[in-house]
Amino acid sequence: MGNQADKLSHLSYAEVPTVDPNGVDTEEGPRIGVSYIFSNDDDDVEEDGAERSTERARNQNRDQETHYDVRDEVECAVYNRDQCVYEKSSGCSDLEAYTPENLLNKCRAGDLVEFVAAGQYPHWAVYVGDFQVVHLHRSEVKNSFLTDASRGRRCRVVNGLYRFKALAGDMVVQNAMEQVGLKDRELSWRNSECFAAWCRFGKREFKLGGEIRIGKQPYRLKIRLSEKHSHVLEFQSLEDVVMEKRRNDHLGRRVVLQELAAHLHSAGPTAPE
């Protein structure tokens, strides 16, 4: 199938198929089954692309980056059956973001770095030492200075979000450096997050086609709505979960909660978590 797959995504939660006819699970709240079989996100679209071709759009992005607010993060957890494999909550120390220059003092070779800005997909990279990162950018694995890769965004070390056992730092760096120069159809990752996570954890689930999307959906993405309520989406692969999680990061908490509220209103009353 290659890496240049057509984009396929849903416009709202009300437009994707539910797991049961009512879309409600009596124990954990509403569930929706989602699968991104032929999609990729806009994580690495350059600003001179069709969506952001004007100077006005670039200025708006800079303003958003300056005013990035961690309180607009979507709190969520990812489960593979009963095992939690990813969690992001307001209590996570990993969520504090810094300027690229300030982050350099906190990085060690093999760390995962996330660049964040309001209204954008998060961009992930592997810190390889000497102020440099390796990252998947515009369909190519590149070796860049961390300050250049940030493109003005704030950044943070996010080693603790995924709960898989990490490889040794030198192995993480080796995994990343060996991929530098790969591009287009040579790539095995759908976005920068999957690439960086694969480098650190070595799990095939982060690769394109790493899991077969047939039968029962073993992954759940639990989105926290409030202290007592959450919304659950089900997926057939970790790769698909990452796609939806990144879509939510791009939209921001306020928009995601509005989208979910509209769906839940149409689906009927929800059960507490």
Side-chain angles (χ1 to χ4, degrees), residues 173-209:
V173 172
Q174 179 179 326
N175 282 344
M177 294 299 295
E178 287 179 347
Q179 316 310 317
V180 172
L182 293 183
K183 61 177 64 177
D184 300 326
R185 296 183 181 276
E186 299 173 318
L187 297 172
S188 298
W189 308 273
R190 189 170 282 169
N191 53 60
S192 62
E193 181 172 340
C194 284
F195 168 73
W198 174 83
C199 289
R200 182 166 176 84
F201 303 109
K203 296 186 73 65
R204 67 181 183 183
E205 288 87 343
F206 288 107
K207 286 190 168 186
L208 280 164

mmCIF file of all heavy atoms in Angstrom, residues 173-209:
data_model
loop_
_atom_site.group_PDB
_atom_site.id
_atom_site.type_symbol
_atom_site.label_atom_id
_atom_site.label_comp_id
_atom_site.label_asym_id
_atom_site.label_seq_id
_atom_site.Cartn_x
_atom_site.Cartn_y
_atom_site.Cartn_z
ATOM 1 N N VAL A 173 18.969 5.736 20.167
ATOM 2 C CA VAL A 173 19.689 6.624 19.240
ATOM 3 C C VAL A 173 20.056 5.870 17.968
ATOM 4 O O VAL A 173 19.913 6.388 16.854
ATOM 5 C CB VAL A 173 20.948 7.200 19.917
ATOM 6 C CG1 VAL A 173 21.806 7.952 18.893
ATOM 7 C CG2 VAL A 173 20.552 8.116 21.063
ATOM 8 N N GLN A 174 20.526 4.625 18.117
ATOM 9 C CA GLN A 174 20.894 3.829 16.949
ATOM 10 C C GLN A 174 19.689 3.591 16.054
ATOM 11 O O GLN A 174 19.780 3.713 14.818
ATOM 12 C CB GLN A 174 21.482 2.492 17.400
ATOM 13 C CG GLN A 174 21.883 1.576 16.242
ATOM 14 C CD GLN A 174 22.488 0.266 16.725
ATOM 15 O OE1 GLN A 174 23.175 0.228 17.741
ATOM 16 N NE2 GLN A 174 22.224 -0.818 15.999
ATOM 17 N N ASN A 175 18.545 3.236 16.669
ATOM 18 C CA ASN A 175 17.325 3.030 15.878
ATOM 19 C C ASN A 175 16.990 4.262 15.056
ATOM 20 O O ASN A 175 16.614 4.171 13.880
ATOM 21 C CB ASN A 175 16.144 2.708 16.801
ATOM 22 C CG ASN A 175 16.150 1.277 17.281
ATOM 23 O OD1 ASN A 175 16.842 0.428 16.735
ATOM 24 N ND2 ASN A 175 15.381 1.007 18.322
ATOM 25 N N ALA A 176 17.112 5.434 15.692
ATOM 26 C CA ALA A 176 16.763 6.677 15.008
ATOM 27 C C ALA A 176 17.753 7.009 13.900
ATOM 28 O O ALA A 176 17.361 7.311 12.765
ATOM 29 C CB ALA A 176 16.710 7.819 16.025
ATOM 30 N N MET A 177 19.038 6.936 14.201
ATOM 31 C CA MET A 177 20.056 7.341 13.228
ATOM 32 C C MET A 177 20.067 6.433 12.003
ATOM 33 O O MET A 177 20.344 6.893 10.887
ATOM 34 C CB MET A 177 21.431 7.346 13.895
ATOM 35 C CG MET A 177 21.596 8.393 14.988
ATOM 36 S SD MET A 177 21.399 10.092 14.387
ATOM 37 C CE MET A 177 22.815 10.228 13.284
ATOM 38 N N GLU A 178 19.744 5.164 12.192
ATOM 39 C CA GLU A 178 19.752 4.228 11.065
ATOM 40 C C GLU A 178 18.642 4.516 10.057
ATOM 41 O O GLU A 178 18.688 4.028 8.929
ATOM 42 C CB GLU A 178 19.627 2.791 11.568
ATOM 43 C CG GLU A 178 20.902 2.260 12.227
ATOM 44 C CD GLU A 178 20.742 0.838 12.728
ATOM 45 O OE1 GLU A 178 19.579 0.352 12.783
ATOM 46 O OE2 GLU A 178 21.765 0.206 13.076
ATOM 47 N N GLN A 179 17.639 5.300 10.450
ATOM 48 C CA GLN A 179 16.530 5.596 9.541
ATOM 49 C C GLN A 179 16.707 6.925 8.804
ATOM 50 O O GLN A 179 15.918 7.239 7.911
ATOM 51 C CB GLN A 179 15.202 5.645 10.313
ATOM 52 C CG GLN A 179 14.997 4.538 11.332
ATOM 53 C CD GLN A 179 15.242 3.149 10.789
ATOM 54 O OE1 GLN A 179 14.822 2.818 9.690
ATOM 55 N NE2 GLN A 179 15.933 2.325 11.583
ATOM 56 N N VAL A 180 17.708 7.718 9.190
ATOM 57 C CA VAL A 180 17.885 9.038 8.590
ATOM 58 C C VAL A 180 18.052 8.910 7.072
ATOM 59 O O VAL A 180 18.846 8.092 6.590
ATOM 60 C CB VAL A 180 19.102 9.763 9.204
ATOM 61 C CG1 VAL A 180 19.397 11.066 8.442
ATOM 62 C CG2 VAL A 180 18.840 10.072 10.669
ATOM 63 N N GLY A 181 17.297 9.693 6.338
ATOM 64 C CA GLY A 181 17.352 9.666 4.879
ATOM 65 C C GLY A 181 16.227 8.897 4.238
ATOM 66 O O GLY A 181 15.960 9.072 3.042
ATOM 67 N N LEU A 182 15.534 8.054 5.006
ATOM 68 C CA LEU A 182 14.386 7.341 4.436
ATOM 69 C C LEU A 182 13.288 8.332 4.084
ATOM 70 O O LEU A 182 13.059 9.297 4.809
ATOM 71 C CB LEU A 182 13.841 6.313 5.435
ATOM 72 C CG LEU A 182 14.719 5.110 5.782
ATOM 73 C CD1 LEU A 182 13.967 4.185 6.727
ATOM 74 C CD2 LEU A 182 15.145 4.364 4.525
ATOM 75 N N LYS A 183 12.589 8.085 2.993
ATOM 76 C CA LYS A 183 11.531 8.995 2.594
ATOM 77 C C LYS A 183 10.443 8.278 1.815
ATOM 78 O O LYS A 183 10.648 7.162 1.299
ATOM 79 C CB LYS A 183 12.083 10.148 1.757
ATOM 80 C CG LYS A 183 12.754 9.725 0.461
ATOM 81 C CD LYS A 183 13.223 10.929 -0.349
ATOM 82 C CE LYS A 183 14.287 11.721 0.355
ATOM 83 N NZ LYS A 183 14.791 12.855 -0.477
ATOM 84 N N ASP A 184 9.291 8.906 1.742
ATOM 85 C CA ASP A 184 8.154 8.464 0.934
ATOM 86 C C ASP A 184 7.828 6.993 1.162
ATOM 87 O O ASP A 184 7.571 6.588 2.278
ATOM 88 C CB ASP A 184 8.427 8.764 -0.544
ATOM 89 C CG ASP A 184 8.633 10.251 -0.796
ATOM 90 O OD1 ASP A 184 7.971 11.042 -0.098
ATOM 91 O OD2 ASP A 184 9.450 10.611 -1.656
ATOM 92 N N ARG A 185 7.880 6.189 0.128
ATOM 93 C CA ARG A 185 7.444 4.793 0.226
ATOM 94 C C ARG A 185 8.418 3.904 0.978
ATOM 95 O O ARG A 185 8.116 2.734 1.248
ATOM 96 C CB ARG A 185 7.186 4.225 -1.181
ATOM 97 C CG ARG A 185 6.032 4.927 -1.889
ATOM 98 C CD ARG A 185 5.729 4.306 -3.249
ATOM 99 N NE ARG A 185 4.641 5.012 -3.911
ATOM 100 C CZ ARG A 185 3.355 4.785 -3.700
ATOM 101 N NH1 ARG A 185 2.992 3.863 -2.832
ATOM 102 N NH2 ARG A 185 2.426 5.469 -4.346
ATOM 103 N N GLU A 186 9.584 4.422 1.329
ATOM 104 C CA GLU A 186 10.513 3.652 2.154
ATOM 105 C C GLU A 186 10.097 3.665 3.623
ATOM 106 O O GLU A 186 10.576 2.848 4.404
ATOM 107 C CB GLU A 186 11.921 4.244 2.039
ATOM 108 C CG GLU A 186 12.503 4.234 0.639
ATOM 109 C CD GLU A 186 13.816 4.995 0.563
ATOM 110 O OE1 GLU A 186 13.912 6.069 1.176
ATOM 111 O OE2 GLU A 186 14.737 4.499 -0.110
ATOM 112 N N LEU A 187 9.223 4.561 3.993
ATOM 113 C CA LEU A 187 8.868 4.754 5.398
ATOM 114 C C LEU A 187 7.920 3.675 5.906
ATOM 115 O O LEU A 187 7.097 3.155 5.161
ATOM 116 C CB LEU A 187 8.220 6.122 5.585
ATOM 117 C CG LEU A 187 9.101 7.329 5.271
ATOM 118 C CD1 LEU A 187 8.274 8.612 5.306
ATOM 119 C CD2 LEU A 187 10.259 7.421 6.252
ATOM 120 N N SER A 188 8.035 3.379 7.194
ATOM 121 C CA SER A 188 7.180 2.387 7.840
ATOM 122 C C SER A 188 6.316 2.989 8.934
ATOM 123 O O SER A 188 5.729 2.261 9.729
ATOM 124 C CB SER A 188 8.046 1.268 8.446
ATOM 125 O OG SER A 188 8.777 0.594 7.446
ATOM 126 N N TRP A 189 6.221 4.336 8.983
ATOM 127 C CA TRP A 189 5.480 5.015 10.041
ATOM 128 C C TRP A 189 4.554 6.057 9.443
ATOM 129 O O TRP A 189 4.898 6.724 8.480
ATOM 130 C CB TRP A 189 6.442 5.674 11.038
ATOM 131 C CG TRP A 189 7.456 4.709 11.536
ATOM 132 C CD1 TRP A 189 7.349 3.861 12.598
ATOM 133 C CD2 TRP A 189 8.740 4.439 10.946
ATOM 134 N NE1 TRP A 189 8.478 3.095 12.708
ATOM 135 C CE2 TRP A 189 9.354 3.428 11.712
ATOM 136 C CE3 TRP A 189 9.434 4.973 9.847
ATOM 137 C CZ2 TRP A 189 10.621 2.940 11.410
ATOM 138 C CZ3 TRP A 189 10.690 4.476 9.548
ATOM 139 C CH2 TRP A 189 11.270 3.475 10.329
ATOM 140 N N ARG A 190 3.411 6.218 10.059
ATOM 141 C CA ARG A 190 2.382 7.107 9.538
ATOM 142 C C ARG A 190 2.571 8.555 9.982
ATOM 143 O O ARG A 190 2.106 9.475 9.337
ATOM 144 C CB ARG A 190 1.013 6.598 9.987
ATOM 145 C CG ARG A 190 -0.153 7.299 9.353
ATOM 146 C CD ARG A 190 -1.438 6.574 9.664
ATOM 147 N NE ARG A 190 -1.583 5.394 8.828
ATOM 148 C CZ ARG A 190 -2.508 4.457 9.016
ATOM 149 N NH1 ARG A 190 -3.332 4.553 10.022
ATOM 150 N NH2 ARG A 190 -2.594 3.425 8.210
ATOM 151 N N ASN A 191 3.267 8.775 11.088
ATOM 152 C CA ASN A 191 3.473 10.132 11.579
ATOM 153 C C ASN A 191 4.688 10.169 12.491
ATOM 154 O O ASN A 191 5.289 9.127 12.806
ATOM 155 C CB ASN A 191 2.217 10.637 12.318
ATOM 156 C CG ASN A 191 1.773 9.666 13.394
ATOM 157 O OD1 ASN A 191 2.508 9.371 14.322
ATOM 158 N ND2 ASN A 191 0.543 9.149 13.250
ATOM 159 N N SER A 192 5.050 11.378 12.927
ATOM 160 C CA SER A 192 6.265 11.558 13.717
ATOM 161 C C SER A 192 6.177 10.866 15.071
ATOM 162 O O SER A 192 7.186 10.398 15.608
ATOM 163 C CB SER A 192 6.545 13.051 13.908
ATOM 164 O OG SER A 192 5.480 13.667 14.617
ATOM 165 N N GLU A 193 4.987 10.796 15.653
ATOM 166 C CA GLU A 193 4.838 10.147 16.956
ATOM 167 C C GLU A 193 5.085 8.650 16.864
ATOM 168 O O GLU A 193 5.794 8.073 17.699
ATOM 169 C CB GLU A 193 3.447 10.415 17.529
ATOM 170 C CG GLU A 193 3.230 9.800 18.892
ATOM 171 C CD GLU A 193 1.922 10.222 19.533
ATOM 172 O OE1 GLU A 193 1.357 11.262 19.126
ATOM 173 O OE2 GLU A 193 1.449 9.519 20.453
ATOM 174 N N CYS A 194 4.504 8.010 15.862
ATOM 175 C CA CYS A 194 4.730 6.572 15.689
ATOM 176 C C CYS A 194 6.213 6.274 15.440
ATOM 177 O O CYS A 194 6.754 5.297 15.966
ATOM 178 C CB CYS A 194 3.880 6.043 14.535
ATOM 179 S SG CYS A 194 2.128 5.847 14.947
ATOM 180 N N PHE A 195 6.866 7.129 14.654
ATOM 181 C CA PHE A 195 8.294 6.917 14.383
ATOM 182 C C PHE A 195 9.113 7.037 15.660
ATOM 183 O O PHE A 195 9.915 6.153 15.990
ATOM 184 C CB PHE A 195 8.807 7.924 13.353
ATOM 185 C CG PHE A 195 10.310 7.933 13.248
ATOM 186 C CD1 PHE A 195 10.985 6.888 12.637
ATOM 187 C CD2 PHE A 195 11.045 8.990 13.786
ATOM 188 C CE1 PHE A 195 12.380 6.888 12.565
ATOM 189 C CE2 PHE A 195 12.435 8.997 13.719
ATOM 190 C CZ PHE A 195 13.104 7.948 13.103
ATOM 191 N N ALA A 196 8.925 8.114 16.400
ATOM 192 C CA ALA A 196 9.724 8.345 17.602
ATOM 193 C C ALA A 196 9.465 7.266 18.653
ATOM 194 O O ALA A 196 10.398 6.763 19.293
ATOM 195 C CB ALA A 196 9.419 9.732 18.166
ATOM 196 N N ALA A 197 8.189 6.878 18.822
ATOM 197 C CA ALA A 197 7.855 5.845 19.804
ATOM 198 C C ALA A 197 8.458 4.504 19.405
ATOM 199 O O ALA A 197 8.927 3.740 20.262
ATOM 200 C CB ALA A 197 6.343 5.738 19.956
ATOM 201 N N TRP A 198 8.466 4.198 18.101
ATOM 202 C CA TRP A 198 9.094 2.950 17.658
ATOM 203 C C TRP A 198 10.591 2.955 17.978
ATOM 204 O O TRP A 198 11.137 1.943 18.446
ATOM 205 C CB TRP A 198 8.898 2.756 16.149
ATOM 206 C CG TRP A 198 9.662 1.569 15.646
ATOM 207 C CD1 TRP A 198 9.277 0.256 15.684
ATOM 208 C CD2 TRP A 198 10.975 1.584 15.069
ATOM 209 N NE1 TRP A 198 10.270 -0.545 15.157
ATOM 210 C CE2 TRP A 198 11.315 0.242 14.774
ATOM 211 C CE3 TRP A 198 11.879 2.601 14.760
ATOM 212 C CZ2 TRP A 198 12.542 -0.106 14.195
ATOM 213 C CZ3 TRP A 198 13.092 2.261 14.191
ATOM 214 C CH2 TRP A 198 13.411 0.921 13.913
ATOM 215 N N CYS A 199 11.245 4.072 17.771
ATOM 216 C CA CYS A 199 12.682 4.164 18.071
ATOM 217 C C CYS A 199 12.948 3.870 19.545
ATOM 218 O O CYS A 199 13.918 3.184 19.881
ATOM 219 C CB CYS A 199 13.216 5.557 17.734
ATOM 220 S SG CYS A 199 13.313 5.924 15.969
ATOM 221 N N ARG A 200 12.098 4.373 20.428
ATOM 222 C CA ARG A 200 12.348 4.223 21.864
ATOM 223 C C ARG A 200 11.910 2.855 22.401
ATOM 224 O O ARG A 200 12.583 2.282 23.265
ATOM 225 C CB ARG A 200 11.631 5.320 22.643
ATOM 226 C CG ARG A 200 11.898 5.252 24.149
ATOM 227 C CD ARG A 200 11.475 6.489 24.876
ATOM 228 N NE ARG A 200 11.643 6.357 26.328
ATOM 229 C CZ ARG A 200 12.773 6.569 26.992
ATOM 230 N NH1 ARG A 200 13.860 6.949 26.334
ATOM 231 N NH2 ARG A 200 12.833 6.426 28.309
ATOM 232 N N PHE A 201 10.801 2.320 21.886
ATOM 233 C CA PHE A 201 10.265 1.083 22.451
ATOM 234 C C PHE A 201 10.461 -0.134 21.554
ATOM 235 O O PHE A 201 10.313 -1.266 22.016
ATOM 236 C CB PHE A 201 8.776 1.274 22.754
ATOM 237 C CG PHE A 201 8.496 2.429 23.677
ATOM 238 C CD1 PHE A 201 7.891 3.584 23.189
ATOM 239 C CD2 PHE A 201 8.853 2.382 25.007
ATOM 240 C CE1 PHE A 201 7.634 4.651 24.014
ATOM 241 C CE2 PHE A 201 8.608 3.459 25.853
ATOM 242 C CZ PHE A 201 8.002 4.599 25.360
ATOM 243 N N GLY A 202 10.730 0.082 20.273
ATOM 244 C CA GLY A 202 11.000 -1.025 19.370
ATOM 245 C C GLY A 202 9.809 -1.909 19.076
ATOM 246 O O GLY A 202 9.981 -3.053 18.638
ATOM 247 N N LYS A 203 8.594 -1.415 19.271
ATOM 248 C CA LYS A 203 7.409 -2.242 19.107
ATOM 249 C C LYS A 203 6.845 -2.102 17.690
ATOM 250 O O LYS A 203 6.599 -0.990 17.218
ATOM 251 C CB LYS A 203 6.345 -1.874 20.142
ATOM 252 C CG LYS A 203 6.790 -2.139 21.585
ATOM 253 C CD LYS A 203 5.672 -1.899 22.573
ATOM 254 C CE LYS A 203 4.612 -2.977 22.519
ATOM 255 N NZ LYS A 203 5.102 -4.297 22.936
ATOM 256 N N ARG A 204 6.588 -3.231 17.056
ATOM 257 C CA ARG A 204 6.091 -3.236 15.679
ATOM 258 C C ARG A 204 4.715 -2.596 15.563
ATOM 259 O O ARG A 204 4.310 -2.175 14.474
ATOM 260 C CB ARG A 204 6.041 -4.668 15.145
ATOM 261 C CG ARG A 204 4.998 -5.532 15.844
ATOM 262 C CD ARG A 204 5.000 -6.950 15.309
ATOM 263 N NE ARG A 204 3.952 -7.750 15.929
ATOM 264 C CZ ARG A 204 3.755 -9.042 15.699
ATOM 265 N NH1 ARG A 204 4.562 -9.663 14.850
ATOM 266 N NH2 ARG A 204 2.787 -9.702 16.297
ATOM 267 N N GLU A 205 3.982 -2.518 16.683
ATOM 268 C CA GLU A 205 2.637 -1.944 16.649
ATOM 269 C C GLU A 205 2.635 -0.489 16.172
ATOM 270 O O GLU A 205 1.610 0.019 15.725
ATOM 271 C CB GLU A 205 1.988 -2.022 18.036
ATOM 272 C CG GLU A 205 1.585 -3.420 18.454
ATOM 273 C CD GLU A 205 2.712 -4.177 19.141
ATOM 274 O OE1 GLU A 205 3.886 -3.759 19.012
ATOM 275 O OE2 GLU A 205 2.435 -5.192 19.795
ATOM 276 N N PHE A 206 3.768 0.196 16.283
ATOM 277 C CA PHE A 206 3.840 1.586 15.835
ATOM 278 C C PHE A 206 4.082 1.697 14.328
ATOM 279 O O PHE A 206 4.010 2.793 13.776
ATOM 280 C CB PHE A 206 4.954 2.328 16.575
ATOM 281 C CG PHE A 206 4.634 2.610 18.013
ATOM 282 C CD1 PHE A 206 5.264 1.904 19.026
ATOM 283 C CD2 PHE A 206 3.700 3.573 18.361
ATOM 284 C CE1 PHE A 206 4.975 2.164 20.357
ATOM 285 C CE2 PHE A 206 3.401 3.843 19.688
ATOM 286 C CZ PHE A 206 4.040 3.133 20.696
ATOM 287 N N LYS A 207 4.359 0.582 13.663
ATOM 288 C CA LYS A 207 4.659 0.606 12.242
ATOM 289 C C LYS A 207 3.403 0.423 11.398
ATOM 290 O O LYS A 207 2.401 -0.155 11.850
ATOM 291 C CB LYS A 207 5.661 -0.503 11.883
ATOM 292 C CG LYS A 207 7.079 -0.223 12.329
ATOM 293 C CD LYS A 207 8.024 -1.246 11.729
ATOM 294 C CE LYS A 207 9.470 -0.862 11.901
ATOM 295 N NZ LYS A 207 10.378 -1.785 11.192
ATOM 296 N N LEU A 208 3.474 0.909 10.152
ATOM 297 C CA LEU A 208 2.388 0.685 9.198
ATOM 298 C C LEU A 208 2.164 -0.810 9.036
ATOM 299 O O LEU A 208 3.099 -1.563 8.759
ATOM 300 C CB LEU A 208 2.746 1.299 7.844
ATOM 301 C CG LEU A 208 2.557 2.808 7.690
ATOM 302 C CD1 LEU A 208 3.308 3.308 6.468
ATOM 303 C CD2 LEU A 208 1.078 3.136 7.554
ATOM 304 N N GLY A 209 0.918 -1.257 9.209
ATOM 305 C CA GLY A 209 0.607 -2.668 9.041
ATOM 306 C C GLY A 209 1.166 -3.548 10.134
ATOM 307 O O GLY A 209 1.234 -4.775 9.967
#
